[in-house]
Amino acid sequence: MELNSTYLAFVISLLTVPGLALSSCGELSDSQSQRVREALNDTLLSSTESWGVDMELIKEGQKKVRIRGTYAASYSMEEVNETRIAGPVHVEVYDSTGTVETRVTANRAVYQPNESIFNLHGDVRVRTNTERRLRSEFLKWDSGSNEVSTPKFVIITTPSDSIAGNGFEGTTDLSEYTIREVTGQFTIN
């Protein structure tokens, strides 16, 4: 918060310097007003830090997601509203009955609450309760639509086959998906 107090001190000094004071005797010039606005805008940064993170996202009274990590920093500004979570990061996704449907691990994650999007980075591993698995270095999860995607290399493993490729889009439970540039092994019965 040292940054915010510096800007606040700057604004206070602008208002108390002779010739700049707000009074009925004079007004601020356009450039002085602009400097005051810029200083005030820079103080509209909010940030928090947490260690041993364990948070739950609840929608309509029902737990949807649980996220655990070693450290989190949340930033809220006019242009940015996100939480950066350092790992290892563990995510559990719940179905409508409250049962864990999908488990995800990653080295780190960025959560954007305004868009309900998680960006998972580094050794991302997804495991569903139907024994479907996904591995990639990056995965974008839109928790609002329950869709996951990546432009990067991905490997999907099911009890009967393994498919790899570059580019992936699918559902959170990996029951439906599309892989571009596919390579893999299939078992045909």
Side-chain angles (χ1 to χ4, degrees):
M1 293 317 235
E2 185 176 315
L3 181 64
N4 290 344
S5 61
T6 303
Y7 284 114
L8 188 55
F10 173 70
V11 170
I12 290 170
S13 69
L14 281 178
L15 297 176
T16 58
V17 171
L20 295 181
L22 295 175
S23 70
S24 60
C25 297
E27 294 184 21
L28 294 175
S29 70
D30 288 342
S31 68
Q32 292 167 334
S33 295
Q34 178 64 26
R35 288 192 347 224
V36 169
R37 277 193 302 277
E38 288 172 3
L40 288 173
N41 285 339
D42 285 342
T43 64
L44 299 177
L45 165 67
S46 168
S47 65
T48 59
E49 294 181 302
S50 302
W51 288 263
V53 178
D54 190 349
M55 65 184 199
E56 296 177 342
L57 302 179
I58 298 171
K59 184 177 180 182
E60 297 172 2
Q62 185 174 5
K63 183 168 40 172
K64 294 294 184 181
V65 179
R66 179 180 183 195
I67 305 121
R68 291 174 286 143
T70 55
Y71 169 81
S74 296
Y75 304 93
S76 183
M77 296 181 279
E78 191 172 315
E79 306 86 31
V80 176
N81 185 15
E82 66 184 24
T83 300
R84 299 175 187 173
I85 306 166
V89 175
H90 299 274
V91 180
E92 295 174 339
V93 181
Y94 296 87
D95 66 13
S96 59
T97 67
T99 303
V100 174
E101 168 180 81
T102 305
R103 287 181 167 80
V104 183
T105 59
N107 292 342
R108 61 187 178 88
V110 177
Y111 175 56
Q112 300 164 316
N114 294 347
E115 295 85 19
S116 297
I117 291 176
F118 287 88
N119 290 305
L120 302 148
H121 302 268
D123 196 23
V124 179
R125 296 174 186 243
V126 178
R127 185 182 70 210
T128 71
N129 59 5
T130 59
E131 296 306 314
R132 295 174 185 267
R133 300 175 190 271
L134 175 144
R135 289 185 66 187
S136 185
E137 282 301 308
F138 170 77
L139 190 66
K140 177 182 177 181
W141 172 38
D142 184 333
S143 64
S145 65
N146 261 346
E147 295 177 352
V148 291
S149 62
T150 185
K152 305 241 182 215
F153 181 76
V154 66
I155 299 171
I156 300 282
T157 306
T158 68
S160 62
D161 56 34
S162 175
I163 304 168
N166 290 306
F168 168 87
E169 294 175 356
T171 57
T172 304
D173 65 1
L174 305 178
S175 61
E176 298 177 27
Y177 54 86
T178 302
I179 299 177
R180 293 179 289 283
E181 300 179 37
V182 176
T183 62
Q185 299 176 356
F186 305 90
T187 303
I188 301 174
N189 296 326

